[in-house]
Amino acid sequence: MTPPPGPAGAPGVRAARVEDLAAVQAIYAEQVRTSTSTFDVLPPSLEDWAGKLAATLRPHHFLVAIDDDGVQGYAYSSAYRPRPAYAATRETSIHLAPRARGRGLGRLLYDELLARLRADGAHVVLAVVALPNPASRALHLACGFTSAGVLREVGHKLDTWVDTEFFQLLLD
Ligand SMILES: CC(C)(COP(=O)(O)OP(=O)(O)OC[C@H]1O[C@@H](n2cnc3c(N)ncnc32)[C@H](O)[C@@H]1OP(=O)(O)O)[C@@H](O)C(=O)NCCC(=O)NCCS
């Protein structure tokens, strides 16, 4: 695992803890209210996040990126679909606080998350990116994902029809 922040304050990644969830809730709530990056329209409560953390025990993972100022972002994996033949496929989600974007934290989180999924024997990782989102597209492509196609106007949020693009990574 990437070491947690050292004395110099370098950011690090570790498994999320209950005490991280207030920051996680605030980071996601900002996106729910202001962005089409998520199709949620009501911010989940702290209790909702506690439930998600409890559900992301192995074979799933919930990671946070932290620096001297606290939790700057998170990424987690979850089941893609419940039917048994999808068991080796995971879906990932990632969000950073606005101040934390564009300085490598997304990559740090994903490198750790993908390493854990690979170690678990997961076979395929999927991510759904609502368009436009150049930072998320760039992150997924940089991590080796390839585009698996665009679904046109499947979301409607902030008075706009929104396309989604599927990204896929084969781990082995
Ligand atoms: C999408 C997000 C997770 C990316 O994380 P990040 O820390 O900003 O990205 P990084 O700094 O790690 O950069 C990763 C790659 O994306 C590129 N990138 C980052 N921001 C970019 C931007 N705005 N436009 C184009 N490319 C960008 C980087 O150059 C890097 O590519 P490289 O390795 O080829 O140089 C982050 O910006 C974010 O949380 N955005 C808001 C929420 C969101 O959209 N979540 C994703 C939902 S699918």
Side-chain angles (χ1 to χ4, degrees), residues 70-153:
V71 173
Q72 302 297 323
Y74 66 89
Y76 63 81
S77 62
S78 52
Y80 171 56
R81 291 189 175 187
R83 289 187 175 135
Y86 286 118
T89 298
R90 303 284 187 276
E91 184 168 349
T92 55
S93 183
I94 181 165
H95 286 91
L96 303 181
R99 62 185 176 279
R101 294 174 197 158
R103 47 186 182 97
L105 286 184
R107 186 62 193 264
L108 207 60
L109 276 164
Y110 250 30
D111 282 350
E112 181 64 26
L113 185 61
L114 295 174
R116 290 182 184 216
L117 293 176
R118 192 172 272 114
D120 289 343
H123 183 57
V124 168
V125 184
L126 296 175
V128 181
V129 177
L131 302 177
N133 192 336
S136 187
R137 289 194 87 257
L139 172 67
H140 286 93
L141 292 171
C143 290
F145 287 74
T146 54
S147 176
V150 174
L151 299 178
R152 296 286 175 204
E153 303 192 354

